[in-house]
Amino acid sequence: AAGDDEHAAAAAALVGAGGAFPAAWLDQGLEAEFERGQLVVRQHGNGPCGVLAAAHALAAARTFSTSTGRVAS
């Protein structure tokens, strides 16, 4: 939809992509798994490290937070 294109262009401009996301960014995913009791997040290729780190942090906080809003230990 036209609105989606406008949102994508605005988001790309916000992260300094000049109005269009590089192809490597479009192939990124939000992967996470547990290894030896620790949460491991992965980034493949050349992507927006800071943007993905923030998204991973938000996802982890929401996943591990309690009903009181505190992160479970």
Short mmCIF file of all heavy atoms in Angstrom, two decimals:
data_model
loop_
_atom_site.label_atom_id
_atom_site.label_comp_id
_atom_site.label_asym_id
_atom_site.label_seq_id
_atom_site.Cartn_x
_atom_site.Cartn_y
_atom_site.Cartn_z
N ALA A 1 0.84 -1.18 0.00
CA ALA A 1 0.00 0.00 0.00
C ALA A 1 0.88 1.24 0.00
O ALA A 1 2.02 1.22 0.46
CB ALA A 1 -0.92 -0.02 1.21
N ALA A 2 0.33 2.32 -0.48
CA ALA A 2 1.09 3.57 -0.57
C ALA A 2 1.55 4.04 0.80
O ALA A 2 2.65 4.52 0.97
CB ALA A 2 0.24 4.64 -1.24
N GLY A 3 0.72 3.88 1.81
CA GLY A 3 1.08 4.28 3.16
C GLY A 3 2.28 3.50 3.68
O GLY A 3 3.14 4.03 4.37
N ASP A 4 2.33 2.20 3.33
CA ASP A 4 3.47 1.37 3.74
C ASP A 4 4.76 1.87 3.12
O ASP A 4 5.80 1.89 3.78
CB ASP A 4 3.25 -0.09 3.35
CG ASP A 4 2.12 -0.74 4.15
OD1 ASP A 4 1.78 -0.23 5.24
OD2 ASP A 4 1.60 -1.76 3.68
N ASP A 5 4.72 2.26 1.87
CA ASP A 5 5.91 2.79 1.20
C ASP A 5 6.39 4.07 1.86
O ASP A 5 7.59 4.27 2.03
CB ASP A 5 5.62 3.05 -0.28
CG ASP A 5 5.40 1.77 -1.08
OD1 ASP A 5 5.84 0.69 -0.61
OD2 ASP A 5 4.79 1.86 -2.15
N GLU A 6 5.46 4.92 2.25
CA GLU A 6 5.82 6.17 2.92
C GLU A 6 6.46 5.89 4.28
O GLU A 6 7.44 6.51 4.65
CB GLU A 6 4.59 7.05 3.09
CG GLU A 6 4.04 7.60 1.79
CD GLU A 6 2.71 8.30 1.97
OE1 GLU A 6 2.31 8.55 3.13
OE2 GLU A 6 2.07 8.60 0.95
N HIS A 7 5.91 4.92 5.01
CA HIS A 7 6.46 4.57 6.32
C HIS A 7 7.86 3.97 6.17
O HIS A 7 8.75 4.28 6.95
CB HIS A 7 5.54 3.59 7.05
CG HIS A 7 4.28 4.22 7.53
ND1 HIS A 7 4.11 4.66 8.81
CD2 HIS A 7 3.13 4.49 6.88
CE1 HIS A 7 2.89 5.19 8.94
NE2 HIS A 7 2.28 5.09 7.78
N ALA A 8 8.04 3.13 5.16
CA ALA A 8 9.36 2.52 4.93
C ALA A 8 10.39 3.57 4.57
O ALA A 8 11.51 3.55 5.07
CB ALA A 8 9.26 1.46 3.83
N ALA A 9 10.01 4.53 3.73
CA ALA A 9 10.93 5.60 3.35
C ALA A 9 11.27 6.47 4.54
O ALA A 9 12.43 6.86 4.73
CB ALA A 9 10.33 6.44 2.22
N ALA A 10 10.29 6.77 5.39
CA ALA A 10 10.54 7.58 6.58
C ALA A 10 11.45 6.84 7.55
O ALA A 10 12.37 7.43 8.13
CB ALA A 10 9.22 7.94 7.27
N ALA A 11 11.24 5.54 7.73
CA ALA A 11 12.08 4.75 8.62
C ALA A 11 13.50 4.67 8.07
O ALA A 11 14.48 4.78 8.83
CB ALA A 11 11.50 3.35 8.79
N ALA A 12 13.65 4.50 6.77
CA ALA A 12 14.98 4.44 6.16
C ALA A 12 15.71 5.75 6.34
O ALA A 12 16.90 5.78 6.66
CB ALA A 12 14.86 4.09 4.68
N ALA A 13 15.01 6.86 6.18
CA ALA A 13 15.63 8.17 6.37
C ALA A 13 16.04 8.37 7.83
O ALA A 13 17.10 8.92 8.12
CB ALA A 13 14.67 9.27 5.92
N LEU A 14 15.22 7.87 8.75
CA LEU A 14 15.50 8.02 10.17
C LEU A 14 16.80 7.32 10.57
O LEU A 14 17.56 7.84 11.37
CB LEU A 14 14.33 7.46 10.99
CG LEU A 14 14.46 7.54 12.50
CD1 LEU A 14 14.45 9.00 12.96
CD2 LEU A 14 13.32 6.78 13.16
N VAL A 15 17.07 6.17 10.00
CA VAL A 15 18.29 5.43 10.35
C VAL A 15 19.44 5.74 9.41
O VAL A 15 20.46 5.07 9.42
CB VAL A 15 18.03 3.90 10.42
CG1 VAL A 15 17.06 3.56 11.53
CG2 VAL A 15 17.58 3.35 9.09
N GLY A 16 19.29 6.77 8.59
CA GLY A 16 20.38 7.21 7.74
C GLY A 16 20.58 6.40 6.49
O GLY A 16 21.67 6.36 5.94
N ALA A 17 19.54 5.75 6.02
CA ALA A 17 19.66 4.92 4.82
C ALA A 17 19.34 5.70 3.55
O ALA A 17 19.27 5.12 2.48
CB ALA A 17 18.75 3.70 4.94
N GLY A 18 19.15 6.99 3.65
CA GLY A 18 18.95 7.81 2.46
C GLY A 18 17.66 7.55 1.71
O GLY A 18 17.60 7.73 0.51
N GLY A 19 16.62 7.10 2.39
CA GLY A 19 15.33 6.90 1.75
C GLY A 19 15.07 5.49 1.27
O GLY A 19 13.98 5.16 0.90
N ALA A 20 16.10 4.64 1.25
CA ALA A 20 15.90 3.24 0.85
C ALA A 20 16.84 2.36 1.68
O ALA A 20 17.97 2.73 1.94
CB ALA A 20 16.21 3.07 -0.63
N PHE A 21 16.34 1.23 2.10
CA PHE A 21 17.16 0.32 2.88
C PHE A 21 18.11 -0.45 1.96
O PHE A 21 17.71 -0.91 0.89
CB PHE A 21 16.29 -0.70 3.63
CG PHE A 21 15.47 -0.08 4.72
CD1 PHE A 21 14.11 0.05 4.59
CD2 PHE A 21 16.07 0.35 5.89
CE1 PHE A 21 13.34 0.61 5.60
CE2 PHE A 21 15.32 0.90 6.91
CZ PHE A 21 13.95 1.04 6.77
N PRO A 22 19.37 -0.63 2.38
CA PRO A 22 20.28 -1.48 1.61
C PRO A 22 19.74 -2.91 1.57
O PRO A 22 19.07 -3.36 2.49
CB PRO A 22 21.59 -1.42 2.40
CG PRO A 22 21.50 -0.16 3.20
CD PRO A 22 20.03 0.01 3.51
N ALA A 23 20.06 -3.64 0.51
CA ALA A 23 19.55 -5.00 0.33
C ALA A 23 19.91 -5.89 1.52
O ALA A 23 19.09 -6.70 1.96
CB ALA A 23 20.08 -5.59 -0.97
N ALA A 24 21.12 -5.75 2.07
CA ALA A 24 21.53 -6.59 3.19
C ALA A 24 20.63 -6.39 4.41
O ALA A 24 20.41 -7.31 5.18
CB ALA A 24 22.99 -6.30 3.56
N TRP A 25 20.12 -5.18 4.59
CA TRP A 25 19.24 -4.90 5.73
C TRP A 25 17.91 -5.63 5.59
O TRP A 25 17.31 -6.03 6.57
CB TRP A 25 18.97 -3.41 5.85
CG TRP A 25 20.13 -2.59 6.29
CD1 TRP A 25 21.45 -2.91 6.22
CD2 TRP A 25 20.08 -1.31 6.89
NE1 TRP A 25 22.21 -1.90 6.71
CE2 TRP A 25 21.40 -0.89 7.13
CE3 TRP A 25 19.03 -0.47 7.22
CZ2 TRP A 25 21.71 0.33 7.71
CZ3 TRP A 25 19.34 0.76 7.79
CH2 TRP A 25 20.66 1.14 8.03
N LEU A 26 17.44 -5.77 4.37
CA LEU A 26 16.13 -6.39 4.15
C LEU A 26 16.13 -7.88 4.43
O LEU A 26 15.09 -8.47 4.66
CB LEU A 26 15.67 -6.13 2.71
CG LEU A 26 15.52 -4.65 2.33
CD1 LEU A 26 15.17 -4.51 0.86
CD2 LEU A 26 14.48 -3.96 3.21
N ASP A 27 17.31 -8.50 4.44
CA ASP A 27 17.43 -9.93 4.71
C ASP A 27 17.67 -10.24 6.18
O ASP A 27 17.81 -11.40 6.54
CB ASP A 27 18.57 -10.53 3.87
CG ASP A 27 18.27 -10.49 2.39
OD1 ASP A 27 17.07 -10.53 2.02
OD2 ASP A 27 19.22 -10.40 1.60
N GLN A 28 17.75 -9.22 7.01
CA GLN A 28 17.98 -9.43 8.44
C GLN A 28 16.73 -9.97 9.10
O GLN A 28 15.62 -9.70 8.69
CB GLN A 28 18.36 -8.11 9.13
CG GLN A 28 19.68 -7.56 8.71
CD GLN A 28 20.86 -8.42 9.14
OE1 GLN A 28 20.79 -9.19 10.08
NE2 GLN A 28 21.96 -8.26 8.43
N GLY A 29 16.93 -10.73 10.15
CA GLY A 29 15.82 -11.24 10.93
C GLY A 29 16.10 -10.99 12.40
O GLY A 29 17.16 -10.49 12.76
N LEU A 30 15.15 -11.31 13.22
CA LEU A 30 15.35 -11.23 14.66
C LEU A 30 15.45 -12.66 15.17
O LEU A 30 14.46 -13.30 15.47
CB LEU A 30 14.18 -10.49 15.32
CG LEU A 30 14.06 -9.02 14.97
CD1 LEU A 30 12.81 -8.43 15.61
CD2 LEU A 30 15.29 -8.25 15.43
N GLU A 31 16.67 -13.16 15.22
CA GLU A 31 16.92 -14.52 15.68
C GLU A 31 17.44 -14.50 17.10
O GLU A 31 18.31 -13.69 17.44
CB GLU A 31 17.98 -15.19 14.81
CG GLU A 31 17.51 -15.60 13.45
CD GLU A 31 18.58 -16.38 12.72
OE1 GLU A 31 19.20 -17.27 13.32
OE2 GLU A 31 18.80 -16.06 11.54
N ALA A 32 16.94 -15.39 17.90
CA ALA A 32 17.42 -15.52 19.28
C ALA A 32 17.26 -16.97 19.70
O ALA A 32 16.33 -17.65 19.28
CB ALA A 32 16.65 -14.60 20.20
N GLU A 33 18.18 -17.42 20.52
CA GLU A 33 18.11 -18.77 21.06
C GLU A 33 18.92 -18.81 22.35
O GLU A 33 19.68 -17.89 22.65
CB GLU A 33 18.63 -19.79 20.05
CG GLU A 33 20.09 -19.57 19.66
CD GLU A 33 20.53 -20.53 18.58
OE1 GLU A 33 20.41 -21.75 18.78
OE2 GLU A 33 20.99 -20.05 17.54
N PHE A 34 18.74 -19.87 23.09
CA PHE A 34 19.50 -20.05 24.31
C PHE A 34 20.64 -21.02 24.05
O PHE A 34 20.45 -22.07 23.43
CB PHE A 34 18.62 -20.60 25.44
CG PHE A 34 17.78 -19.54 26.07
CD1 PHE A 34 16.49 -19.32 25.66
CD2 PHE A 34 18.31 -18.74 27.07
CE1 PHE A 34 15.71 -18.33 26.23
CE2 PHE A 34 17.54 -17.74 27.66
CZ PHE A 34 16.24 -17.54 27.24
N GLU A 35 21.83 -20.65 24.50
CA GLU A 35 23.00 -21.50 24.43
C GLU A 35 23.65 -21.49 25.80
O GLU A 35 23.98 -20.42 26.33
CB GLU A 35 23.99 -21.00 23.38
CG GLU A 35 23.53 -21.18 21.95
CD GLU A 35 24.56 -20.70 20.94
OE1 GLU A 35 25.69 -20.33 21.34
OE2 GLU A 35 24.23 -20.70 19.75
N ARG A 36 23.80 -22.66 26.38
CA ARG A 36 24.42 -22.80 27.71
C ARG A 36 23.80 -21.84 28.72
O ARG A 36 24.49 -21.20 29.50
CB ARG A 36 25.93 -22.61 27.61
CG ARG A 36 26.60 -23.71 26.79
CD ARG A 36 28.10 -23.57 26.78
NE ARG A 36 28.56 -22.35 26.16
CZ ARG A 36 28.87 -22.21 24.87
NH1 ARG A 36 28.76 -23.24 24.07
NH2 ARG A 36 29.29 -21.08 24.39
N GLY A 37 22.47 -21.72 28.68
CA GLY A 37 21.76 -20.90 29.66
C GLY A 37 21.78 -19.41 29.41
O GLY A 37 21.33 -18.64 30.25
N GLN A 38 22.32 -18.97 28.29
CA GLN A 38 22.36 -17.54 27.99
C GLN A 38 21.61 -17.25 26.69
O GLN A 38 21.63 -18.05 25.76
CB GLN A 38 23.81 -17.05 27.85
CG GLN A 38 24.58 -17.10 29.14
CD GLN A 38 25.93 -16.44 29.01
OE1 GLN A 38 26.41 -16.17 27.91
NE2 GLN A 38 26.56 -16.17 30.13
N LEU A 39 20.95 -16.10 26.67
CA LEU A 39 20.25 -15.67 25.47
C LEU A 39 21.27 -15.17 24.45
O LEU A 39 22.10 -14.32 24.77
CB LEU A 39 19.25 -14.55 25.79
CG LEU A 39 18.49 -13.97 24.61
CD1 LEU A 39 17.58 -15.03 23.98
CD2 LEU A 39 17.68 -12.76 25.03
N VAL A 40 21.21 -15.71 23.25
CA VAL A 40 22.12 -15.32 22.18
C VAL A 40 21.27 -14.76 21.04
O VAL A 40 20.32 -15.41 20.60
CB VAL A 40 22.94 -16.53 21.68
CG1 VAL A 40 23.81 -16.15 20.50
CG2 VAL A 40 23.75 -17.11 22.81
N VAL A 41 21.60 -13.56 20.58
CA VAL A 41 20.91 -12.96 19.44
C VAL A 41 21.89 -12.91 18.28
O VAL A 41 23.09 -12.73 18.48
CB VAL A 41 20.34 -11.56 19.77
CG1 VAL A 41 19.25 -11.66 20.80
CG2 VAL A 41 21.42 -10.63 20.24
N ARG A 42 21.39 -13.08 17.09
CA ARG A 42 22.27 -13.16 15.93
C ARG A 42 21.91 -12.09 14.90
O ARG A 42 20.75 -11.75 14.70
CB ARG A 42 22.13 -14.52 15.27
CG ARG A 42 22.38 -15.67 16.21
CD ARG A 42 23.08 -16.80 15.53
NE ARG A 42 23.14 -17.98 16.35
CZ ARG A 42 24.01 -18.17 17.34
NH1 ARG A 42 24.86 -17.22 17.65
NH2 ARG A 42 24.02 -19.28 18.04
N GLN A 43 22.94 -11.62 14.25
CA GLN A 43 22.78 -10.72 13.11
C GLN A 43 23.63 -11.28 11.99
O GLN A 43 24.81 -11.53 12.16
CB GLN A 43 23.26 -9.31 13.45
CG GLN A 43 23.19 -8.39 12.25
CD GLN A 43 23.78 -7.03 12.51
OE1 GLN A 43 23.92 -6.62 13.65
NE2 GLN A 43 24.13 -6.34 11.47
N HIS A 44 23.00 -11.50 10.85
CA HIS A 44 23.70 -12.06 9.70
C HIS A 44 23.94 -10.96 8.68
O HIS A 44 23.04 -10.18 8.38
CB HIS A 44 22.88 -13.19 9.07
CG HIS A 44 22.57 -14.28 10.04
ND1 HIS A 44 23.47 -15.25 10.38
CD2 HIS A 44 21.47 -14.53 10.78
CE1 HIS A 44 22.94 -16.06 11.26
NE2 HIS A 44 21.73 -15.65 11.52
N GLY A 45 25.11 -10.88 8.16
CA GLY A 45 25.39 -9.91 7.10
C GLY A 45 25.62 -8.52 7.62
O GLY A 45 25.89 -8.30 8.80
N ASN A 46 25.53 -7.58 6.74
CA ASN A 46 25.77 -6.17 7.05
C ASN A 46 24.45 -5.49 7.28
O ASN A 46 23.78 -5.09 6.36
CB ASN A 46 26.51 -5.50 5.89
CG ASN A 46 27.85 -6.15 5.63
OD1 ASN A 46 28.56 -6.48 6.57
ND2 ASN A 46 28.18 -6.36 4.38
N GLY A 47 24.09 -5.36 8.53
CA GLY A 47 22.80 -4.76 8.84
C GLY A 47 22.94 -3.61 9.81
O GLY A 47 24.03 -3.28 10.24
N PRO A 48 21.83 -3.03 10.17
CA PRO A 48 21.82 -1.89 11.09
C PRO A 48 21.99 -2.37 12.54
O PRO A 48 21.01 -2.63 13.23
CB PRO A 48 20.46 -1.27 10.85
CG PRO A 48 19.60 -2.43 10.46
CD PRO A 48 20.50 -3.35 9.69
N CYS A 49 23.24 -2.51 12.99
CA CYS A 49 23.51 -3.08 14.32
C CYS A 49 22.73 -2.39 15.43
O CYS A 49 22.12 -3.06 16.26
CB CYS A 49 25.00 -2.97 14.63
SG CYS A 49 26.04 -3.81 13.45
N GLY A 50 22.74 -1.07 15.46
CA GLY A 50 22.07 -0.34 16.54
C GLY A 50 20.57 -0.55 16.53
O GLY A 50 19.95 -0.73 17.58
N VAL A 51 19.98 -0.55 15.35
CA VAL A 51 18.53 -0.74 15.24
C VAL A 51 18.17 -2.16 15.68
O VAL A 51 17.21 -2.36 16.44
CB VAL A 51 18.05 -0.48 13.80
CG1 VAL A 51 16.58 -0.83 13.64
CG2 VAL A 51 18.32 0.97 13.41
N LEU A 52 18.94 -3.15 15.23
CA LEU A 52 18.66 -4.53 15.62
C LEU A 52 18.90 -4.74 17.11
O LEU A 52 18.14 -5.47 17.76
CB LEU A 52 19.51 -5.51 14.81
CG LEU A 52 19.11 -5.64 13.34
CD1 LEU A 52 20.10 -6.53 12.61
CD2 LEU A 52 17.71 -6.19 13.20
N ALA A 53 19.92 -4.12 17.67
CA ALA A 53 20.19 -4.25 19.10
C ALA A 53 19.02 -3.71 19.91
O ALA A 53 18.60 -4.32 20.91
CB ALA A 53 21.47 -3.53 19.48
N ALA A 54 18.48 -2.58 19.50
CA ALA A 54 17.33 -2.01 20.21
C ALA A 54 16.10 -2.91 20.09
O ALA A 54 15.39 -3.13 21.07
CB ALA A 54 17.02 -0.61 19.66
N ALA A 55 15.88 -3.47 18.91
CA ALA A 55 14.74 -4.37 18.72
C ALA A 55 14.90 -5.64 19.54
O ALA A 55 13.95 -6.11 20.16
CB ALA A 55 14.58 -4.70 17.23
N HIS A 56 16.11 -6.19 19.56
CA HIS A 56 16.37 -7.38 20.36
C HIS A 56 16.18 -7.08 21.85
O HIS A 56 15.60 -7.89 22.59
CB HIS A 56 17.79 -7.90 20.13
CG HIS A 56 17.91 -8.77 18.92
ND1 HIS A 56 18.75 -8.46 17.89
CD2 HIS A 56 17.31 -9.94 18.59
CE1 HIS A 56 18.68 -9.40 16.97
NE2 HIS A 56 17.80 -10.31 17.36
N ALA A 57 16.65 -5.93 22.31
CA ALA A 57 16.51 -5.56 23.72
C ALA A 57 15.04 -5.44 24.11
O ALA A 57 14.62 -5.92 25.17
CB ALA A 57 17.25 -4.26 24.01
N LEU A 58 14.25 -4.81 23.26
CA LEU A 58 12.82 -4.66 23.54
C LEU A 58 12.13 -6.02 23.56
O LEU A 58 11.34 -6.31 24.46
CB LEU A 58 12.17 -3.75 22.50
CG LEU A 58 10.67 -3.52 22.65
CD1 LEU A 58 10.35 -2.88 23.99
CD2 LEU A 58 10.15 -2.66 21.52
N ALA A 59 12.45 -6.87 22.59
CA ALA A 59 11.84 -8.20 22.55
C ALA A 59 12.23 -9.01 23.79
O ALA A 59 11.38 -9.68 24.38
CB ALA A 59 12.26 -8.93 21.28
N ALA A 60 13.48 -8.96 24.19
CA ALA A 60 13.93 -9.70 25.37
C ALA A 60 13.26 -9.17 26.63
O ALA A 60 12.80 -9.93 27.48
CB ALA A 60 15.45 -9.62 25.50
N ALA A 61 13.18 -7.85 26.76
CA ALA A 61 12.56 -7.26 27.94
C ALA A 61 11.09 -7.66 28.04
O ALA A 61 10.60 -8.00 29.12
CB ALA A 61 12.70 -5.75 27.91
N ARG A 62 10.41 -7.65 26.92
CA ARG A 62 8.99 -8.04 26.94
C ARG A 62 8.82 -9.53 27.20
O ARG A 62 7.88 -9.94 27.87
CB ARG A 62 8.31 -7.65 25.63
CG ARG A 62 8.12 -6.16 25.53
CD ARG A 62 7.24 -5.80 24.38
NE ARG A 62 7.04 -4.37 24.37
CZ ARG A 62 6.10 -3.78 23.70
NH1 ARG A 62 5.26 -4.48 22.98
NH2 ARG A 62 5.97 -2.48 23.74
N THR A 63 9.73 -10.32 26.69
CA THR A 63 9.65 -11.76 26.88
C THR A 63 9.91 -12.15 28.33
O THR A 63 9.24 -13.02 28.88
CB THR A 63 10.67 -12.48 25.96
OG1 THR A 63 10.33 -12.18 24.61
CG2 THR A 63 10.64 -13.98 26.17
N PHE A 64 10.87 -11.51 28.95
CA PHE A 64 11.30 -11.91 30.28
C PHE A 64 10.77 -11.04 31.40
O PHE A 64 11.10 -11.25 32.56
CB PHE A 64 12.83 -11.97 30.35
CG PHE A 64 13.40 -12.96 29.38
CD1 PHE A 64 14.14 -12.54 28.30
CD2 PHE A 64 13.16 -14.31 29.54
CE1 PHE A 64 14.65 -13.45 27.40
CE2 PHE A 64 13.66 -15.24 28.63
CZ PHE A 64 14.41 -14.80 27.56
N SER A 65 9.93 -10.08 31.08
CA SER A 65 9.39 -9.23 32.14
C SER A 65 8.24 -9.93 32.86
O SER A 65 7.57 -10.80 32.31
CB SER A 65 8.92 -7.89 31.59
OG SER A 65 7.82 -8.06 30.75
N THR A 66 8.04 -9.54 34.07
CA THR A 66 6.94 -10.10 34.87
C THR A 66 5.72 -9.21 34.72
O THR A 66 5.77 -8.16 34.08
CB THR A 66 7.35 -10.18 36.36
OG1 THR A 66 7.56 -8.86 36.83
CG2 THR A 66 8.61 -11.00 36.53
N SER A 67 4.63 -9.59 35.35
CA SER A 67 3.41 -8.80 35.27
C SER A 67 3.58 -7.44 35.94
O SER A 67 2.81 -6.52 35.70
CB SER A 67 2.25 -9.55 35.90
OG SER A 67 2.51 -9.80 37.27
N THR A 68 4.60 -7.28 36.80
CA THR A 68 4.85 -6.00 37.45
C THR A 68 5.73 -5.09 36.59
O THR A 68 5.98 -3.96 36.96
CB THR A 68 5.55 -6.20 38.82
OG1 THR A 68 6.83 -6.82 38.60
CG2 THR A 68 4.71 -7.04 39.74
N GLY A 69 6.19 -5.61 35.45
CA GLY A 69 7.02 -4.80 34.58
C GLY A 69 8.51 -4.95 34.84
O GLY A 69 9.32 -4.37 34.17
N ARG A 70 8.85 -5.75 35.84
CA ARG A 70 10.26 -5.97 36.16
C ARG A 70 10.79 -7.16 35.36
O ARG A 70 10.06 -8.10 35.07
CB ARG A 70 10.44 -6.25 37.65
CG ARG A 70 10.08 -5.05 38.47
CD ARG A 70 10.38 -5.32 39.91
NE ARG A 70 10.15 -4.09 40.67
CZ ARG A 70 10.43 -3.97 41.93
NH1 ARG A 70 10.94 -4.98 42.60
NH2 ARG A 70 10.21 -2.83 42.54
N VAL A 71 12.05 -7.10 35.04
CA VAL A 71 12.66 -8.20 34.31
C VAL A 71 12.92 -9.34 35.29
O VAL A 71 13.49 -9.13 36.35
CB VAL A 71 13.96 -7.76 33.62
CG1 VAL A 71 14.66 -8.95 32.98
CG2 VAL A 71 13.67 -6.69 32.59
N ALA A 72 12.46 -10.53 34.93
CA ALA A 72 12.63 -11.69 35.79
C ALA A 72 14.09 -12.12 35.82
O ALA A 72 14.78 -12.00 34.81
CB ALA A 72 11.76 -12.84 35.29
N SER A 73 14.54 -12.57 36.95
CA SER A 73 15.94 -13.01 37.04
C SER A 73 16.06 -14.50 36.98
O SER A 73 15.12 -15.23 37.06
CB SER A 73 16.58 -12.50 38.33
OG SER A 73 15.82 -12.89 39.45
#
